Amino acid sequence: MKARRMAVGVLIGLGLGMAMTAQAQTALKIGWTNAIDSHYGIMATTFNDEIVKRTDGRYKLQYFTMGALGGEREMLEAVQLGTQDMVITSTGPVGNFVAETRIVDIPYLFRDYDHARKVLDGPIGQEILTKFPAKGLVAITWMENGFRHITNSKRPIKTPEDVKGLKIRTMENKVHMDAFKAMGALPTPMNMNEVFTACQTGTIDGQENPIPVILSNKLYTVQKYLTLDAHVYSPALLIINKGLWDGLSAADKSAFQEAAKIALVANRKKVNSDEVEGMDIMRKEGVEIIEKVDNAAFQKAVASAYVGYNKEFGEANIKKIMDVK
Ligand code: EAX
């Protein structure tokens, strides 16, 4: 009798096991423009581990790194269309899809990381996220790309004067392009996939990006000078196709949101550690790093762009962000 009970038990267990594996496992196609071990990659892998755990393996991510699915604008279009499930992107091109995000790209808007994180995690940042569903996108969480600095191979940039006449690649982002125009540079919008070769061949003199992106795309091997001017804080976003999001159960939606919170901590930690460790890596590669810049002079150099920003976003709205303590 006992043996029979045992046998039945084993069969039930097997059946359950098969039911578990037979349960649909959905692999969500996600793309980004940096490496797997970058500040974006750690976001993706941490998010993946957490959703696998919290949905008993019913959901996992299928990674496409280094722009394999295209530049950020193209990936956003694909997620909007539903041919790609998710994207990790800087806010660079996002303003072309959700205009309300453009305000966070203004140069010298954020004092430091603490200020930027407080704004984005607080009511101002959360309010902007509510504008995404109307565009077929759901921004699960703000993330971090980091403070952007200028690299170039023409000359050490110590003052805004040194920027004049340089062909500087920018993202496809009018707010940034206006700032570089105001500085007298020649802003050249380009998707991230083309930047390394453009630096290598001299099609552009320079580009601007946070340290984690410069490291992850090895831009320091094709750029001679790095100026730590921190002209813009670059937020990033974890975005999912709206139809896919709407199809999740309430429990899975909160599983995704909890997973994103944990992944965000890892993402921000990686930004800060890259900024410390990255300096030595780049110096060893022979990059001349200009650490001390006259911030007031650079802010003055972009002042004329603020006329347009105040008009587009409202001076009071810009001040509201700047005043967050
Ligand atoms: O989001 O395009 C850029 O300069 C971005 O900073 C990069 O793709 C990471």
Side-chain angles (χ1 to χ4, degrees), residues 33-34 40 72 90 145 148 169 171 192 208-210 213:
T33 58
N34 296 300
Y40 285 10
E72 293 182 338
S90 73
N145 194 16
R148 302 179 78 94
R169 177 267 175 177
M171 296 193 282
M192 191 63 210
E208 46 85 49
N209 245 300
V213 175

